[in-house]
Structure formats: structure tokens, C-alpha cells
Amino acid sequence: AKEKGNSFLDMAKNNLVKAEFTYQASIGPVLDSLVKKATNVKADLISIAAEPRPKLPMMVGSITRQLIRRAHCPVFIYRPIL
């Protein structure tokens, strides 16, 4: 995950986009940790990978759905190529 995140960060910076990448492993409720971190750093956008679901390609998981509702900023969801 760190390598992929740093790759996206490099791509953003090469296109003159001000961006930061944060990787944090934590114990506890994932959703609460994501919302708290985004709020603390005053994030303008949250980018999250959707778990690949070959049989249900338009569906996102429960954490992602709740994040969309609770985040103070837009949430960009991308689906990794299988």
C-alpha cells in the first residue's frame, strides 16, 4: 500500500498538484481513524481503493459507504485493476 500511495503522490507532484500521502497502521475502528485523520490534517480530498469485487463491480464496501457519509470533504474511490 505504501508503494502504491507514493507512486500516486509522485504522479500528482509531477503534474504540479500539491498533495500529501499518509500511511497509518492503527488498531481500532477503521472508519473512526480515517475520519479523525482527515479532519486533523484538514484534508481537501480522501482517496481510497475499493476492494475488487468481480461479481459486483459497482458495489463498494460498508466502510467506504460510511466514509462517504461522514467525511468532511469529497471522497475519491478508485478500483485497482485485477
Side-chain angles (χ1 to χ4, degrees):
K2 277 185 183 180
E3 294 82 21
K4 193 143 283 260
N6 284 320
S7 172
F8 284 120
L9 180 62
D10 290 341
M11 184 173 58
K13 286 183 177 181
N14 288 338
N15 287 289
L16 304 177
V17 174
K18 181 182 175 195
E20 293 180 29
F21 168 70
T22 301
Y23 178 87
Q24 177 181 344
S26 61
I27 297 173
V30 174
L31 179 64
D32 292 339
S33 295
L34 289 169
V35 171
K36 185 177 180 179
K37 182 67 173 183
T39 301
N40 288 345
V41 300
K42 297 181 176 100
D44 296 319
L45 174 74
I46 299 170
S47 178
I48 189 167
E51 182 177 325
R53 295 173 184 238
K55 294 183 180 181
L56 301 169
M58 298 306 292
M59 299 292 290
V60 295
S62 60
I63 297 294
T64 302
R65 282 195 313 274
Q66 291 177 56
L67 179 61
I68 292 167
R69 284 190 221 111
R70 289 188 44 196
H72 72 281
C73 61
V75 178
F76 174 74
I77 304 163
Y78 63 93
R79 190 170 305 281
I81 297 172
L82 296 175

